[in-house]
Amino acid sequence: MKQDMIVILDLGSTKNTDIARAVRSLGVYSEIHPHDITAEELSKLHNVKGIILNGGENNIIDGVRIDVSEAVYDAGFPVLAVAHDTAKRGHILKDWPASEEELESVLRSFIFDACKAEPNWNMKNFTEDQIELVRRQVCDKKVLLALSGGVDSSVVAALLIKAIGKQLVCVHVNHGLMRKGESEEVVEVFRNRLDANLIYVDASERFLSKLENVADPEQKRKIIGSEFIRVFEEEARKLSGIEFLAQGTIYPDIVESGTKTAKVVKSHHNVGGLPEDLQFKLVEPLRYLFKDEVRACGLELGLPESMVYRQPFPGPGLGVRCLGAITRERIEAVRESDAILCEEFAKEGLDRKVWQYFTVVPEFKSVGVKNNARSYEYPVIIRAVNTVDAMTATVPQIEWAVLQRITDRILAEVPNVNRVCYDLSPKPCATIEWE
Ligand code: XMP
C-alpha cells in the first residue's frame, strides 16, 4: 500500500468529516471508524500511523458513555484525543480548536512530528491502492455493477475495469427517462473506449407503459424505483458465477445514512437500495471519498470531463420533470429542451458555475401564435439553482441574453412548445425539482 493513514475514531462528534478532511488537506489519508473498533480490525487497516479520538456531544448510547477499548491505546500508535474527556493517554485537547488555523497546527504537529506520517495521499496513490485492494478482495470472481452513467457509478466502473477487467459485468438500464445522448455516451465510453463487459438494456417501453396514466409524483418514483430493481434482477439472474456487487457508495452516503453515534440524516437510495435476496458481497472502492475526490479519481482514471463534472441527476430521471402522467410527447419536449439548455450553459461556462439546471414540462397548455395561426401548446420551464447541500438553494442571475437565446432555440427546435418561463423560486419555499 502506498499511503500512510490516520485513523479517526468517532466518539460521538459531529465533526468527524471536518477532521478527516483537515487531515487529508495536509496530504495524509484518513478514515473514520467507529469507537468500538477491535484490535484485530485495527491491525487489518494498512499503514496506520496514528489515531485521533474524536469526542463530542453524542457520546451517550443507550444511557452508557461510550469509550474506546484499552486495546486501542495498546496498539502502539500515537494518540491524539480531541474533546474526549475520558481519554487516558496520548496528547489530550480538552476543547475543539478555536479556529481552522489552530486545528491545522495541532494536526500538523501530531501527524508529522508524533506520527511521522508521510504526506503521500494523492489520487494516483489512492487509486493504485484501491485497485490492489479490489484485486485482493475479488480474486478471480465476477463483480456486477449497475452503471447509471452518473459520476459515482462511472468512476467505480473505470476503477474496476483497471483492477479486474472483464471480471466486471456492467449493466446499464435505459429507463427511457435519461437525458439526451446519455445512454449512448455510457456505451461509447465504457464498451467502445474502455472495452468493458457491458450489458445494455433498453427498457424504455417497459417503463413508459408502467407509468402510463400515473400522475402522483411519489407513485411515479415508486414505480421507477421498483421497476429498475426488477430489470436489474432479471439481468443478474441470467448471469452465473457472480459473487460481488459493486456500488458507487461515497463517504457522505455513509455518514448521512448514520454512523453508530449519528442519527440518520437521509436514507440514500444507493445504500441498501437493492433487494436483500440478491446475496452478493459488496465492493465499494469509493466509500472513503468525498464528492470532489471522486471526481479527481475519475480524472485520474481517464474518464472524460463531461462525465466527471456531470451535474446531479435524480434516480427517477426526467420522469419527475415531465409533470403528472408522463406522455411520449412531453417527455421528448423535456429531453430536447434540456439538451438545448445544457448546450447553451456549456457554451457560457455556466455548467461549472451553476449547481443544477434543467427544464420542466407541465401538463397544462397555453395559447400562442405560431406561423400566423393560433397555437395551443405546452410551456417549458427553465430551472437553475445553486446550493451546497441541496437542503436550501438560490436561483442564479442568468444573463438576459443567454436566457433569450435559450428561449429562442427551444421555441424554434422543440415540437409542441410555445412558451418558455424561468423559475425564480428559491428553496424554500419551492423544492429544486418540481415533483
Ligand atoms: P429537491 O427537489 O428535494 O431536490 O429540492 C434535492 C436534490 O435531490 C434530487 N432529487 C432526487 N434524487 N432521487 C434522487 O436520486 C429522487 O427521487 C430525487 N428527487 C430529488 C434533486 O435533483 C436535487 O438535486
Side-chain angles (χ1 to χ4, degrees), residues 27 147 157 382 387 396 399 418:
L147 176 58
I382 298 173
T387 175
E399 251 181 72
N418 66 357

Side-chain angles (χ1 to χ4, degrees), residues 217-218 221 266 268-270 311-317 320-321 355-356 358 383 385 387 389-393 427 430-435:
E218 287 314 304
R221 275 195 174 74
K266 89 184 159 184
H268 269 257
H269 55 99
N270 51 352
Q311 55 168 321
F313 188 57
V320 289
R321 297 171 181 172
W355 194 80
Q356 201 174 13
F358 52 87
R383 183 77 169 134
V385 293
T387 175
D389 56 7
M391 303 298 282
T392 62
K427 174 180 182 177
T431 52
I432 295 175
E433 302 287 348
W434 272 55
E435 286 195 333

Side-chain angles (χ1 to χ4, degrees), residues 25-194:
S25 73
L26 294 171
V28 179
Y29 181 57
S30 62
E31 285 181 6
I32 305 163
H33 287 272
H35 67 278
D36 54 0
I37 190 168
T38 63
E40 198 196 341
E41 285 163 341
L42 195 55
S43 72
K44 283 195 183 141
L45 300 177
H46 300 280
N47 293 5
V48 176
K49 295 288 168 182
I51 297 174
I52 296 176
L53 308 181
N54 195 24
E57 57 272 36
N58 301 326
N59 60 354
I60 310 279
I61 297 183
D62 298 332
V64 178
R65 174 173 288 241
I66 54 173
D67 208 342
V68 294
S69 74
E70 200 57 38
V72 167
Y73 293 100
D74 293 341
F77 302 113
V79 171
L80 168 69
V82 185
H84 172 47
D85 45 18
T86 54
K88 297 186 183 67
R89 277 169 270 158
H91 186 74
I92 300 172
L93 287 188
K94 275 197 139 72
D95 298 308
W96 183 264
S99 64
E100 269 179 36
E101 292 72 32
E102 197 186 320
L103 174 66
E104 189 194 314
S105 128
V106 168
L107 290 177
R108 193 179 281 283
S109 86
F110 175 68
I111 294 168
F112 299 118
D113 302 340
C115 303
K116 308 265 183 288
E118 291 289 326
N120 50 15
W121 146 254
N122 58 47
M123 261 320 135
K124 187 167 180 294
N125 286 346
F126 176 85
T127 307
E128 284 174 17
D129 279 358
Q130 289 305 319
I131 287 173
E132 177 58 30
L133 288 171
V134 167
R135 285 185 184 143
R136 286 187 204 172
Q137 183 189 5
V138 169
C139 300
D140 59 352
K141 301 295 188 297
K142 283 194 206 159
V143 181
L144 183 63
L145 170 71
L147 176 58
S148 68
V151 180
D152 304 338
S153 69
S154 297
V155 176
V156 170
L159 195 145
L160 294 189
I161 290 164
K162 278 248 160 84
I164 55 169
K166 293 273 165 75
Q167 284 165 251
L168 173 72
V169 184
C170 303
V171 176
H172 176 72
V173 178
N174 178 357
H175 51 24
L177 308 166
M178 306 291 282
R179 284 166 292 193
K180 191 172 179 179
E182 204 163 19
S183 287
E184 290 81 352
E185 189 185 23
V186 169
V187 172
E188 167 58 26
V189 169
F190 289 97
R191 184 184 285 162
N192 301 352
R193 263 193 256 169
L194 298 178

